[in-house]
Amino acid sequence: MSDQYAVIGNPIAHSKSPLIHAAFARETGQDLEYGRILGNPYDFAGDVRRFFASGGRGLNVTVPFKEAAWALADERSHRAEIAGAVNTLIRLDGGRLRGDNTDGVGLVRDLDRNHGFRSPAARVLMLGAGGAARGVLIPLLDTGLAQLVIANRTHARALELARLGAAFGPVEARGFDQLDGERFDLIINATAAGLTGDVPDIPDDCLAQDGWTYDMLYGDTPTAFCRWGQARGATRAIDGLGMLVEQAAEAFWLWRGVRPETARVIAELRHPSQPIG
Ligand SMILES: NC(=O)c1ccc[n+]([C@@H]2O[C@H](COP(=O)([O-])OP(=O)(O)OC[C@H]3O[C@@H](n4cnc5c(N)ncnc54)[C@H](OP(=O)(O)O)[C@@H]3O)[C@@H](O)[C@H]2O)c1
């Protein structure tokens, strides 16, 4: 039987992860199957235990279970420990579960390798202080950017994140209403506002000339925040599809010890007229 992997979340039907991992497996010649599990909000731990007891080798974890997966893991990587969230579970010899978080690597690789964003001297604004923002905080600071400002609707959560990041790089917290007169080379939207077509309430002129915008959300058409960036002259207005594929590639590497090519998978998800693989 092929090695079994899956993504667990709720909802889960929309997830592109099975498509992405099937393409990685074909490209690298790995013998595996990757499915979807609709997680029970009242018995996430039971769902995970049953999957691994039936021989599962690894799970990706998505909304709303990343914190629960963190709590469930027997051991955690440093980056998952700090993120307080786990999006990848790995079954170790003996059955122990290791938790990791590949979201930050996914974002940084997409920005750096796929789009050529160079961070030294960059002033970066990150909107949001939820699970996704927390997951990318340290990898983002590790890139050596000049300054990271975290702004969130609930100011206290931005402050907490900035405190967490302070040991790793120059970071401070603001409210959306404390950004007047500021200019940023890159604005990352890590809020869930786009799910309802909204854009965080930030000043119209806070994107620097030649600045970039990055929305962690993605869709078949430009997201509300991508349109916000385009309307304000962003040199690039990128969505989160590349981050999704890059975080998946890192999980694949953790599980299989093989690093898949991502460019073709991103291109084919972007233009689904041609099947992946
Ligand atoms: N591309 C990828 O691979 C990838 C990976 C992970 C996440 N994501 C995306 O990242 C986004 C955030 O996910 P998450 O897991 O961090 O969610 P989360 O933990 O629920 O956090 C939501 C964040 O959005 C803020 N927010 C929600 N509605 C808002 C609004 N109308 N205006 C302003 N701020 C608002 C919240 O602010 P408060 O603190 O004030 O509530 C909080 O900071 C989602 O769109 C998700 O799809 C993408």
Side-chain angles (χ1 to χ4, degrees):
M1 189 171 86
S2 306
D3 291 343
Q4 301 294 311
Y5 297 86
V7 58
I8 183 167
N10 191 329
I12 201 61
H14 67 288
S15 173
K16 293 186 190 296
S17 292
L19 216 57
I20 295 170
H21 283 279
F24 288 166
R26 276 194 297 276
E27 179 221 317
T28 58
Q30 295 284 305
D31 182 16
L32 62 86
E33 283 175 15
Y34 187 109
R36 291 186 170 83
I37 300 172
L38 179 66
N40 178 348
Y42 304 103
D43 191 22
F44 170 72
D47 286 340
V48 170
R49 287 207 180 91
R50 276 186 288 279
F51 174 76
F52 285 108
S54 69
R57 300 283 295 269
L59 274 179
N60 280 136
V61 181
T62 186
V63 175
F65 298 124
K66 290 184 187 179
E67 287 80 10
W70 183 92
L72 195 66
D74 298 305
E75 63 178 71
R76 294 178 282 263
S77 67
H78 182 57
R79 60 192 178 188
E81 190 66 46
I82 291 170
V86 156
N87 76 343
T88 304
L89 285 168
I90 305 143
R91 186 183 186 279
L92 302 175
D93 291 343
R96 285 170 61 80
L97 292 184
R98 179 173 171 82
D100 208 329
N101 189 313
T102 64
D103 281 340
V105 168
L107 170 71
V108 168
R109 285 216 181 111
D110 191 38
L111 270 168
D112 175 21
R113 294 192 195 166
N114 299 336
H115 297 283
F117 184 78
R118 297 291 167 256
S119 49
R123 288 196 78 215
V124 178
L125 171 64
M126 180 160 70
L127 307 170
R134 210 176 161 104
V136 304
L137 174 67
I138 308 303
L140 209 49
L141 287 169
D142 279 349
T143 64
L145 44 72
Q147 189 195 22
L148 177 66
V149 171
I150 302 170
N152 192 46
R153 186 175 59 180
T154 308
H155 187 51
R157 294 183 81 191
L159 273 172
E160 185 197 332
L161 222 54
R163 265 198 294 271
L164 196 67
F168 299 87
V171 55
E172 54 188 82
R174 307 273 170 81
F176 289 153
D177 57 352
Q178 296 172 315
L179 296 168
D180 284 336
E182 303 266 11
R183 298 285 181 279
F184 296 94
D185 304 301
L186 170 66
I187 305 179
I188 299 168
N189 181 27
T191 74
L195 294 173
T196 48
D198 295 319
V199 170
D201 189 15
I202 57 173
D204 255 349
D205 58 356
C206 65
L207 183 66
Q209 197 174 358
D210 301 325
W212 293 25
T213 59
Y214 193 105
D215 194 354
M216 287 195 190
L217 193 63
Y218 53 85
D220 296 336
T221 55
T223 65
F225 190 68
C226 282
R227 294 198 306 275
W228 184 94
Q230 286 161 352
R232 280 147 195 87
T235 302
R236 299 265 184 107
I238 305 163
D239 74 10
L241 185 67
M243 172 179 171
L244 177 78
V245 175
E246 295 296 344
Q247 64 77 27
E250 180 75 2
F252 193 90
W253 182 78
L254 290 171
W255 290 328
R256 309 297 298 183
V258 181
R259 224 172 249 296
E261 272 300 316
T262 52
R264 196 164 138 235
V265 176
I266 295 171
E268 288 175 352
L269 284 172
R270 184 77 67 197
H271 305 289
S273 52
Q274 293 173 348
I276 294 181

